[in-house]
PDB file of all heavy atoms in Angstrom:
ATOM      1  N   VAL V1433      -8.284  95.332 -54.080  1.00  0.00           N
ATOM      2  CA  VAL V1433      -8.521  94.960 -52.680  1.00  0.00           C
ATOM      3  C   VAL V1433      -8.267  93.463 -52.478  1.00  0.00           C
ATOM      4  O   VAL V1433      -7.604  93.046 -51.526  1.00  0.00           O
ATOM      5  CB  VAL V1433      -9.956  95.341 -52.241  1.00  0.00           C
ATOM      6  CG1 VAL V1433     -10.296  94.742 -50.883  1.00  0.00           C
ATOM      7  CG2 VAL V1433     -10.123  96.853 -52.220  1.00  0.00           C
ATOM      8  N   LEU V1434      -8.775  92.664 -53.399  1.00  0.00           N
ATOM      9  CA  LEU V1434      -8.566  91.217 -53.319  1.00  0.00           C
ATOM     10  C   LEU V1434      -7.076  90.876 -53.435  1.00  0.00           C
ATOM     11  O   LEU V1434      -6.552  90.062 -52.678  1.00  0.00           O
ATOM     12  CB  LEU V1434      -9.363  90.492 -54.406  1.00  0.00           C
ATOM     13  CG  LEU V1434      -9.218  88.976 -54.431  1.00  0.00           C
ATOM     14  CD1 LEU V1434      -9.724  88.365 -53.134  1.00  0.00           C
ATOM     15  CD2 LEU V1434      -9.952  88.402 -55.627  1.00  0.00           C
ATOM     16  N   GLY V1435      -6.376  91.519 -54.354  1.00  0.00           N
ATOM     17  CA  GLY V1435      -4.942  91.291 -54.506  1.00  0.00           C
ATOM     18  C   GLY V1435      -4.176  91.628 -53.242  1.00  0.00           C
ATOM     19  O   GLY V1435      -3.290  90.881 -52.822  1.00  0.00           O
ATOM     20  N   CYS V1436      -4.525  92.760 -52.614  1.00  0.00           N
ATOM     21  CA  CYS V1436      -3.870  93.155 -51.361  1.00  0.00           C
ATOM     22  C   CYS V1436      -4.154  92.135 -50.255  1.00  0.00           C
ATOM     23  O   CYS V1436      -3.246  91.766 -49.494  1.00  0.00           O
ATOM     24  CB  CYS V1436      -4.321  94.545 -50.928  1.00  0.00           C
ATOM     25  SG  CYS V1436      -3.613  95.876 -51.918  1.00  0.00           S
ATOM     26  N   ARG V1437      -5.380  91.678 -50.179  1.00  0.00           N
ATOM     27  CA  ARG V1437      -5.724  90.674 -49.155  1.00  0.00           C
ATOM     28  C   ARG V1437      -4.953  89.376 -49.364  1.00  0.00           C
ATOM     29  O   ARG V1437      -4.468  88.775 -48.411  1.00  0.00           O
ATOM     30  CB  ARG V1437      -7.217  90.403 -49.147  1.00  0.00           C
ATOM     31  CG  ARG V1437      -8.009  91.510 -48.515  1.00  0.00           C
ATOM     32  CD  ARG V1437      -9.452  91.146 -48.378  1.00  0.00           C
ATOM     33  NE  ARG V1437     -10.153  92.231 -47.726  1.00  0.00           N
ATOM     34  CZ  ARG V1437     -11.405  92.197 -47.385  1.00  0.00           C
ATOM     35  NH1 ARG V1437     -12.127  91.119 -47.653  1.00  0.00           N
ATOM     36  NH2 ARG V1437     -11.969  93.208 -46.786  1.00  0.00           N
ATOM     37  N   VAL V1438      -4.841  88.949 -50.596  1.00  0.00           N
ATOM     38  CA  VAL V1438      -4.098  87.714 -50.886  1.00  0.00           C
ATOM     39  C   VAL V1438      -2.627  87.894 -50.513  1.00  0.00           C
ATOM     40  O   VAL V1438      -2.020  86.999 -49.904  1.00  0.00           O
ATOM     41  CB  VAL V1438      -4.260  87.307 -52.370  1.00  0.00           C
ATOM     42  CG1 VAL V1438      -3.285  86.215 -52.754  1.00  0.00           C
ATOM     43  CG2 VAL V1438      -5.697  86.869 -52.643  1.00  0.00           C
ATOM     44  N   ILE V1439      -2.052  89.031 -50.840  1.00  0.00           N
ATOM     45  CA  ILE V1439      -0.645  89.287 -50.496  1.00  0.00           C
ATOM     46  C   ILE V1439      -0.461  89.316 -48.979  1.00  0.00           C
ATOM     47  O   ILE V1439       0.481  88.720 -48.445  1.00  0.00           O
ATOM     48  CB  ILE V1439      -0.149  90.592 -51.156  1.00  0.00           C
ATOM     49  CG1 ILE V1439      -0.049  90.390 -52.675  1.00  0.00           C
ATOM     50  CG2 ILE V1439       1.185  91.046 -50.562  1.00  0.00           C
ATOM     51  CD1 ILE V1439       0.135  91.674 -53.449  1.00  0.00           C
ATOM     52  N   ILE V1440      -1.359  89.988 -48.281  1.00  0.00           N
ATOM     53  CA  ILE V1440      -1.271  90.049 -46.817  1.00  0.00           C
ATOM     54  C   ILE V1440      -1.366  88.648 -46.217  1.00  0.00           C
ATOM     55  O   ILE V1440      -0.555  88.257 -45.369  1.00  0.00           O
ATOM     56  CB  ILE V1440      -2.356  90.986 -46.235  1.00  0.00           C
ATOM     57  CG1 ILE V1440      -2.025  92.442 -46.569  1.00  0.00           C
ATOM     58  CG2 ILE V1440      -2.488  90.788 -44.719  1.00  0.00           C
ATOM     59  CD1 ILE V1440      -3.136  93.424 -46.255  1.00  0.00           C
ATOM     60  N   LEU V1441      -2.335  87.866 -46.658  1.00  0.00           N
ATOM     61  CA  LEU V1441      -2.492  86.504 -46.129  1.00  0.00           C
ATOM     62  C   LEU V1441      -1.294  85.624 -46.467  1.00  0.00           C
ATOM     63  O   LEU V1441      -0.841  84.824 -45.635  1.00  0.00           O
ATOM     64  CB  LEU V1441      -3.785  85.873 -46.645  1.00  0.00           C
ATOM     65  CG  LEU V1441      -5.075  86.458 -46.083  1.00  0.00           C
ATOM     66  CD1 LEU V1441      -6.290  85.841 -46.777  1.00  0.00           C
ATOM     67  CD2 LEU V1441      -5.154  86.257 -44.575  1.00  0.00           C
ATOM     68  N   ALA V1442      -0.763  85.781 -47.668  1.00  0.00           N
ATOM     69  CA  ALA V1442       0.408  85.000 -48.054  1.00  0.00           C
ATOM     70  C   ALA V1442       1.599  85.343 -47.159  1.00  0.00           C
ATOM     71  O   ALA V1442       2.312  84.454 -46.681  1.00  0.00           O
ATOM     72  CB  ALA V1442       0.756  85.246 -49.521  1.00  0.00           C
ATOM     73  N   ARG V1443       1.810  86.619 -46.916  1.00  0.00           N
ATOM     74  CA  ARG V1443       2.930  87.032 -46.060  1.00  0.00           C
ATOM     75  C   ARG V1443       2.727  86.596 -44.615  1.00  0.00           C
ATOM     76  O   ARG V1443       3.682  86.197 -43.951  1.00  0.00           O
ATOM     77  CB  ARG V1443       3.127  88.547 -46.132  1.00  0.00           C
ATOM     78  CG  ARG V1443       3.744  89.027 -47.407  1.00  0.00           C
ATOM     79  CD  ARG V1443       5.135  88.476 -47.614  1.00  0.00           C
ATOM     80  NE  ARG V1443       6.063  89.156 -46.726  1.00  0.00           N
ATOM     81  CZ  ARG V1443       7.206  88.667 -46.303  1.00  0.00           C
ATOM     82  NH1 ARG V1443       7.604  87.480 -46.663  1.00  0.00           N
ATOM     83  NH2 ARG V1443       7.983  89.357 -45.507  1.00  0.00           N
ATOM     84  N   ILE V1444       1.512  86.678 -44.128  1.00  0.00           N
ATOM     85  CA  ILE V1444       1.249  86.172 -42.774  1.00  0.00           C
ATOM     86  C   ILE V1444       1.639  84.697 -42.711  1.00  0.00           C
ATOM     87  O   ILE V1444       2.316  84.248 -41.786  1.00  0.00           O
ATOM     88  CB  ILE V1444      -0.229  86.377 -42.377  1.00  0.00           C
ATOM     89  CG1 ILE V1444      -0.510  87.855 -42.131  1.00  0.00           C
ATOM     90  CG2 ILE V1444      -0.574  85.539 -41.140  1.00  0.00           C
ATOM     91  CD1 ILE V1444      -1.977  88.190 -41.925  1.00  0.00           C
ATOM     92  N   GLY V1445       1.243  83.954 -43.728  1.00  0.00           N
ATOM     93  CA  GLY V1445       1.551  82.527 -43.766  1.00  0.00           C
ATOM     94  C   GLY V1445       3.032  82.249 -43.843  1.00  0.00           C
ATOM     95  O   GLY V1445       3.564  81.428 -43.081  1.00  0.00           O
ATOM     96  N   ASP V1446       3.745  82.928 -44.736  1.00  0.00           N
ATOM     97  CA  ASP V1446       5.162  82.591 -44.886  1.00  0.00           C
ATOM     98  C   ASP V1446       5.995  83.060 -43.696  1.00  0.00           C
ATOM     99  O   ASP V1446       6.913  82.366 -43.265  1.00  0.00           O
ATOM    100  CB  ASP V1446       5.731  83.067 -46.230  1.00  0.00           C
ATOM    101  CG  ASP V1446       6.285  84.463 -46.258  1.00  0.00           C
ATOM    102  OD1 ASP V1446       7.386  84.674 -45.736  1.00  0.00           O
ATOM    103  OD2 ASP V1446       5.629  85.333 -46.838  1.00  0.00           O
ATOM    104  N   VAL V1447       5.658  84.196 -43.101  1.00  0.00           N
ATOM    105  CA  VAL V1447       6.427  84.660 -41.940  1.00  0.00           C
ATOM    106  C   VAL V1447       6.133  83.783 -40.718  1.00  0.00           C
ATOM    107  O   VAL V1447       7.044  83.427 -39.963  1.00  0.00           O
ATOM    108  CB  VAL V1447       6.144  86.153 -41.651  1.00  0.00           C
ATOM    109  CG1 VAL V1447       6.777  86.594 -40.344  1.00  0.00           C
ATOM    110  CG2 VAL V1447       6.661  87.016 -42.797  1.00  0.00           C
ATOM    111  N   ALA V1448       4.878  83.387 -40.529  1.00  0.00           N
ATOM    112  CA  ALA V1448       4.540  82.490 -39.421  1.00  0.00           C
ATOM    113  C   ALA V1448       5.234  81.139 -39.599  1.00  0.00           C
ATOM    114  O   ALA V1448       5.751  80.555 -38.636  1.00  0.00           O
ATOM    115  CB  ALA V1448       3.022  82.313 -39.327  1.00  0.00           C
ATOM    116  N   LEU V1449       5.258  80.635 -40.824  1.00  0.00           N
ATOM    117  CA  LEU V1449       5.982  79.384 -41.095  1.00  0.00           C
ATOM    118  C   LEU V1449       7.475  79.539 -40.830  1.00  0.00           C
ATOM    119  O   LEU V1449       8.137  78.601 -40.372  1.00  0.00           O
ATOM    120  CB  LEU V1449       5.749  78.931 -42.533  1.00  0.00           C
ATOM    121  CG  LEU V1449       4.408  78.273 -42.805  1.00  0.00           C
ATOM    122  CD1 LEU V1449       4.142  78.179 -44.302  1.00  0.00           C
ATOM    123  CD2 LEU V1449       4.337  76.894 -42.154  1.00  0.00           C
ATOM    124  N   GLY V1450       8.003  80.720 -41.087  1.00  0.00           N
ATOM    125  CA  GLY V1450       9.412  80.978 -40.794  1.00  0.00           C
ATOM    126  C   GLY V1450       9.701  80.875 -39.300  1.00  0.00           C
ATOM    127  O   GLY V1450      10.743  80.345 -38.890  1.00  0.00           O
ATOM    128  N   ALA V1451       8.779  81.370 -38.482  1.00  0.00           N
ATOM    129  CA  ALA V1451       8.947  81.248 -37.026  1.00  0.00           C
ATOM    130  C   ALA V1451       8.918  79.780 -36.611  1.00  0.00           C
ATOM    131  O   ALA V1451       9.749  79.327 -35.811  1.00  0.00           O
ATOM    132  CB  ALA V1451       7.859  82.033 -36.312  1.00  0.00           C
ATOM    133  N   LEU V1452       7.973  79.036 -37.170  1.00  0.00           N
ATOM    134  CA  LEU V1452       7.885  77.603 -36.861  1.00  0.00           C
ATOM    135  C   LEU V1452       9.140  76.865 -37.334  1.00  0.00           C
ATOM    136  O   LEU V1452       9.657  75.983 -36.639  1.00  0.00           O
ATOM    137  CB  LEU V1452       6.647  76.995 -37.501  1.00  0.00           C
ATOM    138  CG  LEU V1452       5.300  77.467 -36.959  1.00  0.00           C
ATOM    139  CD1 LEU V1452       4.162  76.902 -37.794  1.00  0.00           C
ATOM    140  CD2 LEU V1452       5.136  77.087 -35.508  1.00  0.00           C
ATOM    141  N   ARG V1453       9.631  77.225 -38.513  1.00  0.00           N
ATOM    142  CA  ARG V1453      10.842  76.597 -39.042  1.00  0.00           C
ATOM    143  C   ARG V1453      12.020  76.837 -38.124  1.00  0.00           C
ATOM    144  O   ARG V1453      12.799  75.923 -37.826  1.00  0.00           O
ATOM    145  CB  ARG V1453      11.152  77.135 -40.442  1.00  0.00           C
ATOM    146  CG  ARG V1453      12.440  76.583 -41.038  1.00  0.00           C
ATOM    147  CD  ARG V1453      12.807  77.260 -42.355  1.00  0.00           C
ATOM    148  NE  ARG V1453      12.673  78.704 -42.351  1.00  0.00           N
ATOM    149  CZ  ARG V1453      13.567  79.550 -41.832  1.00  0.00           C
ATOM    150  NH1 ARG V1453      14.655  79.093 -41.263  1.00  0.00           N
ATOM    151  NH2 ARG V1453      13.359  80.847 -41.883  1.00  0.00           N
ATOM    152  N   THR V1454      12.172  78.047 -37.645  1.00  0.00           N
ATOM    153  CA  THR V1454      13.278  78.379 -36.761  1.00  0.00           C
ATOM    154  C   THR V1454      13.234  77.547 -35.482  1.00  0.00           C
ATOM    155  O   THR V1454      14.254  77.007 -35.047  1.00  0.00           O
ATOM    156  CB  THR V1454      13.263  79.881 -36.418  1.00  0.00           C
ATOM    157  OG1 THR V1454      13.369  80.622 -37.638  1.00  0.00           O
ATOM    158  CG2 THR V1454      14.394  80.257 -35.484  1.00  0.00           C
ATOM    159  N   VAL V1455      12.066  77.416 -34.901  1.00  0.00           N
ATOM    160  CA  VAL V1455      11.937  76.613 -33.684  1.00  0.00           C
ATOM    161  C   VAL V1455      12.214  75.143 -33.990  1.00  0.00           C
ATOM    162  O   VAL V1455      12.834  74.443 -33.190  1.00  0.00           O
ATOM    163  CB  VAL V1455      10.544  76.809 -33.045  1.00  0.00           C
ATOM    164  CG1 VAL V1455      10.311  75.825 -31.916  1.00  0.00           C
ATOM    165  CG2 VAL V1455      10.405  78.233 -32.545  1.00  0.00           C
ATOM    166  N   ALA V1456      11.789  74.672 -35.148  1.00  0.00           N
ATOM    167  CA  ALA V1456      12.056  73.281 -35.530  1.00  0.00           C
ATOM    168  C   ALA V1456      13.550  73.043 -35.693  1.00  0.00           C
ATOM    169  O   ALA V1456      14.079  72.015 -35.272  1.00  0.00           O
ATOM    170  CB  ALA V1456      11.311  72.932 -36.819  1.00  0.00           C
ATOM    171  N   VAL V1457      14.267  73.998 -36.284  1.00  0.00           N
ATOM    172  CA  VAL V1457      15.713  73.865 -36.450  1.00  0.00           C
ATOM    173  C   VAL V1457      16.395  73.822 -35.085  1.00  0.00           C
ATOM    174  O   VAL V1457      17.218  72.944 -34.811  1.00  0.00           O
ATOM    175  CB  VAL V1457      16.286  75.023 -37.312  1.00  0.00           C
ATOM    176  CG1 VAL V1457      17.799  75.070 -37.230  1.00  0.00           C
ATOM    177  CG2 VAL V1457      15.830  74.879 -38.752  1.00  0.00           C
ATOM    178  N   VAL V1458      16.052  74.769 -34.219  1.00  0.00           N
ATOM    179  CA  VAL V1458      16.663  74.836 -32.890  1.00  0.00           C
ATOM    180  C   VAL V1458      16.347  73.573 -32.083  1.00  0.00           C
ATOM    181  O   VAL V1458      17.189  73.070 -31.352  1.00  0.00           O
ATOM    182  CB  VAL V1458      16.187  76.097 -32.135  1.00  0.00           C
ATOM    183  CG1 VAL V1458      16.596  76.067 -30.684  1.00  0.00           C
ATOM    184  CG2 VAL V1458      16.727  77.344 -32.809  1.00  0.00           C
ATOM    185  N   GLY V1459      15.140  73.049 -32.250  1.00  0.00           N
ATOM    186  CA  GLY V1459      14.734  71.859 -31.519  1.00  0.00           C
ATOM    187  C   GLY V1459      15.229  70.557 -32.112  1.00  0.00           C
ATOM    188  O   GLY V1459      14.972  69.486 -31.576  1.00  0.00           O
ATOM    189  N   GLY V1460      15.930  70.623 -33.228  1.00  0.00           N
ATOM    190  CA  GLY V1460      16.479  69.423 -33.836  1.00  0.00           C
ATOM    191  C   GLY V1460      15.472  68.591 -34.607  1.00  0.00           C
ATOM    192  O   GLY V1460      15.671  67.394 -34.804  1.00  0.00           O
ATOM    193  N   HIS V1461      14.399  69.214 -35.082  1.00  0.00           N
ATOM    194  CA  HIS V1461      13.372  68.521 -35.858  1.00  0.00           C
ATOM    195  C   HIS V1461      13.620  68.767 -37.346  1.00  0.00           C
ATOM    196  O   HIS V1461      12.971  69.601 -37.978  1.00  0.00           O
ATOM    197  CB  HIS V1461      11.974  69.012 -35.471  1.00  0.00           C
ATOM    198  CG  HIS V1461      11.671  68.868 -34.019  1.00  0.00           C
ATOM    199  ND1 HIS V1461      11.354  67.664 -33.445  1.00  0.00           N
ATOM    200  CD2 HIS V1461      11.664  69.769 -33.014  1.00  0.00           C
ATOM    201  CE1 HIS V1461      11.141  67.830 -32.151  1.00  0.00           C
ATOM    202  NE2 HIS V1461      11.333  69.099 -31.868  1.00  0.00           N
ATOM    203  N   GLY V1462      14.589  68.019 -37.899  1.00  0.00           N
ATOM    204  CA  GLY V1462      15.024  68.246 -39.276  1.00  0.00           C
ATOM    205  C   GLY V1462      13.922  68.112 -40.302  1.00  0.00           C
ATOM    206  O   GLY V1462      13.807  68.920 -41.220  1.00  0.00           O
ATOM    207  N   GLY V1463      13.099  67.078 -40.194  1.00  0.00           N
ATOM    208  CA  GLY V1463      12.024  66.871 -41.159  1.00  0.00           C
ATOM    209  C   GLY V1463      11.001  67.995 -41.142  1.00  0.00           C
ATOM    210  O   GLY V1463      10.581  68.483 -42.200  1.00  0.00           O
ATOM    211  N   LEU V1464      10.608  68.419 -39.942  1.00  0.00           N
ATOM    212  CA  LEU V1464       9.651  69.521 -39.848  1.00  0.00           C
ATOM    213  C   LEU V1464      10.260  70.827 -40.345  1.00  0.00           C
ATOM    214  O   LEU V1464       9.584  71.604 -41.019  1.00  0.00           O
ATOM    215  CB  LEU V1464       9.182  69.696 -38.398  1.00  0.00           C
ATOM    216  CG  LEU V1464       8.087  68.766 -37.928  1.00  0.00           C
ATOM    217  CD1 LEU V1464       7.786  68.998 -36.451  1.00  0.00           C
ATOM    218  CD2 LEU V1464       6.823  68.942 -38.754  1.00  0.00           C
ATOM    219  N   SER V1465      11.519  71.066 -40.017  1.00  0.00           N
ATOM    220  CA  SER V1465      12.139  72.312 -40.474  1.00  0.00           C
ATOM    221  C   SER V1465      12.214  72.340 -41.997  1.00  0.00           C
ATOM    222  O   SER V1465      12.013  73.387 -42.619  1.00  0.00           O
ATOM    223  CB  SER V1465      13.516  72.511 -39.846  1.00  0.00           C
ATOM    224  OG  SER V1465      14.410  71.510 -40.245  1.00  0.00           O
ATOM    225  N   TRP V1466      12.482  71.190 -42.617  1.00  0.00           N
ATOM    226  CA  TRP V1466      12.513  71.114 -44.078  1.00  0.00           C
ATOM    227  C   TRP V1466      11.131  71.431 -44.651  1.00  0.00           C
ATOM    228  O   TRP V1466      11.006  72.232 -45.587  1.00  0.00           O
ATOM    229  CB  TRP V1466      12.964  69.718 -44.515  1.00  0.00           C
ATOM    230  CG  TRP V1466      13.052  69.566 -46.001  1.00  0.00           C
ATOM    231  CD1 TRP V1466      14.127  69.831 -46.783  1.00  0.00           C
ATOM    232  CD2 TRP V1466      12.005  69.130 -46.892  1.00  0.00           C
ATOM    233  NE1 TRP V1466      13.823  69.588 -48.106  1.00  0.00           N
ATOM    234  CE2 TRP V1466      12.521  69.157 -48.197  1.00  0.00           C
ATOM    235  CE3 TRP V1466      10.685  68.726 -46.704  1.00  0.00           C
ATOM    236  CZ2 TRP V1466      11.773  68.799 -49.306  1.00  0.00           C
ATOM    237  CZ3 TRP V1466       9.935  68.365 -47.806  1.00  0.00           C
ATOM    238  CH2 TRP V1466      10.487  68.406 -49.096  1.00  0.00           C
ATOM    239  N   LEU V1467      10.098  70.808 -44.099  1.00  0.00           N
ATOM    240  CA  LEU V1467       8.735  71.023 -44.590  1.00  0.00           C
ATOM    241  C   LEU V1467       8.302  72.476 -44.412  1.00  0.00           C
ATOM    242  O   LEU V1467       7.777  73.100 -45.340  1.00  0.00           O
ATOM    243  CB  LEU V1467       7.754  70.091 -43.874  1.00  0.00           C
ATOM    244  CG  LEU V1467       6.285  70.232 -44.258  1.00  0.00           C
ATOM    245  CD1 LEU V1467       6.078  69.904 -45.729  1.00  0.00           C
ATOM    246  CD2 LEU V1467       5.423  69.350 -43.371  1.00  0.00           C
ATOM    247  N   PHE V1468       8.537  73.028 -43.215  1.00  0.00           N
ATOM    248  CA  PHE V1468       8.165  74.425 -42.979  1.00  0.00           C
ATOM    249  C   PHE V1468       8.930  75.359 -43.920  1.00  0.00           C
ATOM    250  O   PHE V1468       8.366  76.320 -44.445  1.00  0.00           O
ATOM    251  CB  PHE V1468       8.429  74.829 -41.525  1.00  0.00           C
ATOM    252  CG  PHE V1468       7.515  74.179 -40.524  1.00  0.00           C
ATOM    253  CD1 PHE V1468       7.955  73.919 -39.239  1.00  0.00           C
ATOM    254  CD2 PHE V1468       6.215  73.822 -40.841  1.00  0.00           C
ATOM    255  CE1 PHE V1468       7.136  73.337 -38.298  1.00  0.00           C
ATOM    256  CE2 PHE V1468       5.387  73.232 -39.910  1.00  0.00           C
ATOM    257  CZ  PHE V1468       5.849  72.987 -38.635  1.00  0.00           C
ATOM    258  N   GLY V1469      10.211  75.081 -44.137  1.00  0.00           N
ATOM    259  CA  GLY V1469      11.009  75.904 -45.045  1.00  0.00           C
ATOM    260  C   GLY V1469      10.512  75.835 -46.470  1.00  0.00           C
ATOM    261  O   GLY V1469      10.441  76.847 -47.175  1.00  0.00           O
ATOM    262  N   LEU V1470      10.160  74.642 -46.923  1.00  0.00           N
ATOM    263  CA  LEU V1470       9.628  74.471 -48.278  1.00  0.00           C
ATOM    264  C   LEU V1470       8.346  75.281 -48.460  1.00  0.00           C
ATOM    265  O   LEU V1470       8.203  76.032 -49.437  1.00  0.00           O
ATOM    266  CB  LEU V1470       9.359  72.985 -48.566  1.00  0.00           C
ATOM    267  CG  LEU V1470       8.695  72.686 -49.909  1.00  0.00           C
ATOM    268  CD1 LEU V1470       9.664  72.957 -51.048  1.00  0.00           C
ATOM    269  CD2 LEU V1470       8.202  71.244 -49.940  1.00  0.00           C
ATOM    270  N   LEU V1471       7.418  75.153 -47.524  1.00  0.00           N
ATOM    271  CA  LEU V1471       6.154  75.893 -47.618  1.00  0.00           C
ATOM    272  C   LEU V1471       6.390  77.400 -47.513  1.00  0.00           C
ATOM    273  O   LEU V1471       5.807  78.181 -48.279  1.00  0.00           O
ATOM    274  CB  LEU V1471       5.190  75.420 -46.524  1.00  0.00           C
ATOM    275  CG  LEU V1471       4.714  73.983 -46.630  1.00  0.00           C
ATOM    276  CD1 LEU V1471       3.923  73.590 -45.383  1.00  0.00           C
ATOM    277  CD2 LEU V1471       3.873  73.780 -47.879  1.00  0.00           C
ATOM    278  N   GLU V1472       7.234  77.797 -46.584  1.00  0.00           N
ATOM    279  CA  GLU V1472       7.529  79.216 -46.383  1.00  0.00           C
ATOM    280  C   GLU V1472       8.056  79.860 -47.664  1.00  0.00           C
ATOM    281  O   GLU V1472       7.552  80.900 -48.114  1.00  0.00           O
ATOM    282  CB  GLU V1472       8.555  79.352 -45.261  1.00  0.00           C
ATOM    283  CG  GLU V1472       9.119  80.747 -45.094  1.00  0.00           C
ATOM    284  CD  GLU V1472      10.348  80.779 -44.207  1.00  0.00           C
ATOM    285  OE1 GLU V1472      10.864  79.719 -43.798  1.00  0.00           O
ATOM    286  OE2 GLU V1472      10.812  81.914 -43.944  1.00  0.00           O
ATOM    287  N   ILE V1473       9.062  79.264 -48.263  1.00  0.00           N
ATOM    288  CA  ILE V1473       9.692  79.875 -49.431  1.00  0.00           C
ATOM    289  C   ILE V1473       8.802  79.787 -50.660  1.00  0.00           C
ATOM    290  O   ILE V1473       8.790  80.706 -51.489  1.00  0.00           O
ATOM    291  CB  ILE V1473      11.074  79.247 -49.685  1.00  0.00           C
ATOM    292  CG1 ILE V1473      11.992  79.529 -48.480  1.00  0.00           C
ATOM    293  CG2 ILE V1473      11.702  79.765 -50.964  1.00  0.00           C
ATOM    294  CD1 ILE V1473      12.100  81.000 -48.103  1.00  0.00           C
ATOM    295  N   THR V1474       8.032  78.726 -50.778  1.00  0.00           N
ATOM    296  CA  THR V1474       7.090  78.635 -51.903  1.00  0.00           C
ATOM    297  C   THR V1474       6.081  79.775 -51.853  1.00  0.00           C
ATOM    298  O   THR V1474       5.840  80.460 -52.858  1.00  0.00           O
ATOM    299  CB  THR V1474       6.367  77.266 -51.894  1.00  0.00           C
ATOM    300  OG1 THR V1474       7.337  76.226 -51.991  1.00  0.00           O
ATOM    301  CG2 THR V1474       5.387  77.169 -53.042  1.00  0.00           C
ATOM    302  N   ILE V1475       5.511  80.000 -50.679  1.00  0.00           N
ATOM    303  CA  ILE V1475       4.550  81.101 -50.532  1.00  0.00           C
ATOM    304  C   ILE V1475       5.241  82.434 -50.788  1.00  0.00           C
ATOM    305  O   ILE V1475       4.712  83.308 -51.493  1.00  0.00           O
ATOM    306  CB  ILE V1475       3.916  81.074 -49.127  1.00  0.00           C
ATOM    307  CG1 ILE V1475       3.041  79.822 -48.955  1.00  0.00           C
ATOM    308  CG2 ILE V1475       3.091  82.332 -48.879  1.00  0.00           C
ATOM    309  CD1 ILE V1475       2.605  79.566 -47.520  1.00  0.00           C
TER     310      ILE V1475
END
């Protein structure tokens, strides 16, 4: 149960960061898009 919860929370985090990264790229925020991408893929 704990493993499933950790996986669910990790995926929520990385997919949400992916949405933020996409908006940062479209908005021309290179530094933020890099940071969001790094965190997203690490998770």
Side-chain angles (χ1 to χ4, degrees):
V1433 170
L1434 180 62
C1436 286
R1437 285 187 178 184
V1438 168
I1439 291 167
I1440 289 170
L1441 290 174
R1443 286 298 286 156
I1444 289 172
D1446 89 75
V1447 172
L1449 283 166
L1452 293 173
R1453 177 187 45 80
T1454 301
V1455 171
V1457 167
V1458 170
H1461 303 284
L1464 278 177
S1465 64
W1466 181 89
L1467 178 62
F1468 291 150
L1470 175 70
L1471 295 172
E1472 171 193 6
I1473 297 306
T1474 301
I1475 293 168

